[in-house]
Amino acid sequence: MLQPNGNGVFWNISQNKYDYKPLTRQTNFGTIDEPIALQVFYNGQEKDKYDTYFGALKSTCTVNENFNLKFIGSAYHTIEQEYFDIDAAYALGEVDSNIGSENFGNVTFSRAIGSQLSHARNDLDALIVNAEVKGFHTLKKNQIEWGVKYTREDIRDRIIEWEVIDSAGFSLNNPKILPIKNEPYEPFVGPLAPYRNIRATNYVTINRFSGYAQWSLKDKIGSADVWYNAGVRMHQWQVSGDNLSGKSQTTVSPRAQFAIKPDWDKDMVFRVSGGFYHQPPFYRELRDSLGVVNPNVKAQQSIHFVVSNDFSFKMWNRPFKMVTEAYYKTLTDVNPYTIDNVRIRYAASNNAKAFAQGFDLRLNGEFVPGTESWFSFGYLKTEENTDNRGYIARPTDQRLKFGILFQDYMPNIPSVKVYLNLVYNTGLPGGSPSYADPYDYQNRLRDYRRADVGFSYVFTEKNTLRPQEHWLRNFKDLSIGFEIFNMFNNQNAITNTWVRDVYSKNQYAIPNYLTTRVFNIKLSMRL
């Protein structure tokens, strides 16, 4: 007989609106011998809106003391709007680098002038419904878990984008349209067309069935503790819609893990794991750069190999833990993508293979008694080979990452806490212009450097010592904080803007910088 022993309801509504009115911009770049500046003057605005609605229902039932069932139902609805009309007039000029000059740092000669008009009316309406059943069994030392899930995704998408570029008085055609313009050296007599023009309306439905089964066992080999874990995951899906009829696709992903804790004086756990992993495509991965949906995009497949070690120890009579992990991953049926500003544009084609390899180390513990701090280091190399043209860096190929989070408090006023966060990452690949071959653009962004500091006062620090009727006893947590993000005001680039010089035929990578120094006041409470 089923005995309900746990039910829950969760819901969330989020509404976000962003209104932008760019004014001017000047970005200095180039080299010491040849400094260059980009000056841009804007007209127009961008209005974006993102509304999301999420609700979930969970019920847990006990069949017997060794068998539990969990029922989960959820629905997610998102409505997105991206509208903009932005006219940008730019001048690409040489900068006076003579330190003794009165015009030092100013633009002295305009190498190229032009304008760019960008327009978009993009709307997305997506409804995703899930129904899932999970089972948990205990058979002596064995733990068995399984689950079955159904998902239905209804997508309504309209994308209208076009861009017109004028350089030195000459309108640039889409580079894929022949004949190629060679102005001002030769007169152009072909039809005029926008540099970029995307128009598509897609109504897509995706039905998914997935399931998994997992076995776990804790045992001993001699005096050592060991853990076994093995499982398999299955995923079946089919894409349909207006003028779309995708084939049914199924993937099976087996995987396993083994861990051992030797009977040593040092507290260490060693792990080795591996398996097949598949990433079935979501709607965005089915849509190519021109807005056309390919319903037969395959799941990206990878084979993982991971070796790790957890080392727990005492230092200064306080607990510490160091976690190290090395991994290698080979990928096939890769769906390549490029980054256009902050948007990901997929090729919607499984025409690449790739690999990823790396190493991570993290040390955390009480460097200051009663607070948790950590140091981390990561190395990653990931490259892809599209159409057997050779390996180049993937957009996520960030080789080195360093991070420090240090927390402290005032000994005489323990309710006042402070943290310092330091991050250093080597630069990501800088991307490539629209329609360009990424193999021709393998430059990298600048290294990422950031320092944050925060102060907070916790009002509920001594709640247990207060009388029961004290108003602060109504709160489990109540604190106010002041934070400074990017304390040293570093200019960290996220992507590049590409500006074309019609005379030299060069395209210049102009870095787009993230937010500089930000001050933040935060109030948090939990009842």
Side-chain angles (χ1 to χ4, degrees):
M1 179 178 179
L2 296 178
Q3 296 180 355
N5 59 359
N7 298 292
V9 177
F10 174 80
W11 56 272
N12 179 70
I13 297 176
S14 175
Q15 293 184 323
N16 299 278
K17 293 183 179 181
Y18 303 92
D19 294 335
Y20 305 98
K21 287 187 178 181
L23 300 176
T24 60
R25 163 185 177 175
Q26 176 167 334
T27 304
N28 298 326
F29 63 106
T31 64
I32 296 177
D33 295 332
E34 190 180 2
I36 304 174
L38 172 70
Q39 294 177 310
V40 187
F41 302 91
Y42 294 99
N43 277 316
Q45 62 181 341
E46 178 173 351
K47 290 189 174 184
D48 300 335
K49 184 170 66 172
Y50 305 93
D51 296 342
T52 59
Y53 308 87
F54 175 77
L57 173 65
K58 182 191 73 172
S59 178
T60 303
C61 299
T62 299
V63 180
N64 56 52
E65 61 180 5
N66 296 319
F67 181 22
N68 291 319
L69 281 173
K70 184 181 290 186
F71 302 91
I72 303 172
S74 64
Y76 174 79
H77 188 201
T78 180
I79 302 173
E80 302 179 7
Q81 170 188 297
E82 185 182 46
Y83 292 177
F84 59 79
D85 288 282
I86 297 177
D87 181 25
Y90 68 87
L92 195 64
E94 298 178 358
V95 178
D96 188 348
S97 58
N98 185 359
I99 298 179
S101 172
E102 295 181 356
N103 296 318
F104 174 72
N106 295 328
V107 176
T108 57
F109 173 74
S110 292
R111 178 181 298 180
I113 58 174
S115 63
Q116 173 179 304
L117 176 60
S118 301
H119 168 92
R121 293 294 185 271
N122 299 331
D123 293 280
L124 177 70
D125 189 325
L127 176 63
I128 303 172
V129 179
N130 300 284
E132 184 175 10
V133 179
K134 290 185 176 182
F136 304 87
H137 302 263
T138 302
L139 302 174
K140 296 182 179 180
K141 295 181 179 181
N142 300 276
Q143 301 287 332
I144 298 177
E145 179 181 342
W146 56 268
V148 179
K149 183 178 181 180
Y150 168 71
T151 302
R152 181 179 176 87
E153 302 167 4
D154 287 318
I155 313 292
R156 298 183 179 184
D157 180 31
R158 183 193 71 166
I159 177 170
I160 300 176
E161 289 186 22
W162 52 260
E163 182 179 39
V164 177
I165 299 178
D166 174 274
S167 182
F170 300 95
S171 178
L172 300 183
N173 261 14
N174 183 322
K176 293 187 177 182
I177 296 179
L178 297 176
I180 298 176
K181 298 177 65 175
N182 192 30
E183 294 180 297
Y185 307 106
E186 298 178 7
F188 180 73
V189 295
L192 292 177
Y195 185 77
R196 182 161 60 98
N197 189 16
I198 304 172
R199 297 175 182 270
T201 300
N202 301 313
Y203 295 88
V204 177
T205 300
I206 307 175
N207 289 291
R208 304 181 188 268
F209 291 93
S210 60
Y212 73 94
Q214 178 177 277
W215 164 74
S216 302
L217 171 65
K218 180 181 179 182
D219 205 348
K220 280 185 173 292
I221 297 180
S223 59
D225 293 325
V226 294
W227 292 265
Y228 303 93
N229 183 279
V232 62
R233 181 176 293 273
M234 183 277 297
H235 198 120
Q236 184 275 332
W237 75 97
Q238 187 170 13
V239 180
S240 60
D242 288 357
N243 301 317
L244 294 175
S245 182
K247 62 183 180 181
S248 176
Q249 301 187 58
T250 303
T251 62
V252 179
S253 308
R255 62 201 67 178
Q257 177 179 272
F258 173 75
I260 182 170
K261 182 179 181 182
D263 187 16
W264 296 348
D265 292 336
K266 295 182 178 179
D267 185 359
M268 286 192 174
V269 178
F270 298 90
R271 294 185 180 87
V272 58
S273 61
F276 289 80
Y277 294 80
H278 292 88
Q279 181 182 320
F282 185 62
Y283 169 73
R284 295 285 195 187
E285 297 163 79
L286 301 173
R287 193 184 73 184
D288 66 14
S289 60
L290 299 179
V292 179
V293 172
N294 178 6
N296 294 318
V297 173
K298 300 178 183 178
Q300 301 183 87
Q301 176 180 286
S302 65
I303 303 176
H304 290 204
F305 302 97
V306 183
V307 178
S308 63
N309 170 255
D310 295 354
F311 177 30
S312 300
F313 59 96
K314 291 278 188 178
M315 187 166 61
W316 307 314
N317 292 321
R318 296 193 290 273
F320 286 83
K321 185 175 183 179
M322 183 168 63
V323 179
T324 56
E325 184 177 79
Y327 56 88
Y328 181 81
K329 178 167 60 174
T330 177
L331 302 96
T332 55
D333 292 328
V334 173
N335 186 354
Y337 67 90
T338 58
I339 298 178
D340 179 9
N341 198 353
V342 294
R343 294 181 296 182
I344 295 177
R345 300 298 195 193
Y346 287 93
S349 176
N350 304 102
N351 61 331
K353 57 184 178 180
F355 73 88
Q357 61 188 30
F359 173 81
D360 289 311
L361 183 147
R362 180 185 176 100
L363 173 64
N364 62 281
E366 295 186 15
F367 290 90
V368 175
T371 64
E372 186 81 8
S373 301
W374 53 260
F375 298 82
S376 68
F377 164 74
Y379 162 78
L380 167 67
K381 180 180 180 180
T382 177
E383 296 182 340
E384 66 185 12
N385 181 354
T386 303
D387 295 325
N388 294 318
R389 299 177 60 194
Y391 283 92
I392 60 173
R394 304 192 77 199
T396 54
D397 183 42
Q398 190 166 52
R399 294 297 172 86
L400 299 177
K401 300 178 69 175
F402 297 89
I404 298 176
L405 175 66
F406 185 77
Q407 300 188 84
D408 200 352
Y409 60 88
M410 294 185 180
N412 297 328
I413 315 175
S415 297
V416 177
K417 303 182 184 297
V418 61
Y419 78 84
L420 177 66
N421 182 47
L422 303 175
V423 178
Y424 170 81
N425 302 331
T426 53
L428 287 163
S432 57
S434 297
Y435 300 110
D437 186 352
Y439 278 77
D440 296 333
Y441 294 86
Q442 285 299 293
N443 63 318
R444 286 184 176 267
L445 300 172
R446 298 179 183 177
D447 293 352
Y448 181 93
R449 302 178 300 274
R450 173 169 167 166
D452 304 329
V453 65
F455 306 87
S456 64
Y457 184 86
V458 183
F459 294 96
T460 53
E461 180 76 22
K462 298 181 179 180
N463 251 10
T464 56
L465 303 179
R466 293 188 172 98
Q468 191 65 35
E469 63 275 7
H470 197 283
W471 67 276
L472 283 174
R473 293 296 294 266
N474 297 320
F475 296 91
K476 293 181 179 179
D477 177 70
L478 179 63
S479 62
I480 187 171
F482 172 70
E483 298 171 304
I484 305 176
F485 300 120
N486 196 8
M487 180 169 52
F488 298 114
N489 208 28
N490 290 317
Q491 285 190 318
N492 294 310
I494 182 173
T495 56
N496 283 319
T497 293
W498 299 88
V499 175
R500 180 189 294 268
D501 178 359
V502 72
Y503 287 104
S504 66
K505 303 300 181 183
N506 292 327
Q507 294 200 71
Y508 294 91
I510 316 299
N512 298 314
Y513 295 114
L514 292 166
T515 304
T516 53
R517 185 185 296 116
V518 173
F519 299 93
N520 183 55
I521 296 177
K522 179 175 65 176
L523 175 66
S524 61
M525 62 182 67
R526 184 163 58 93
L527 299 174

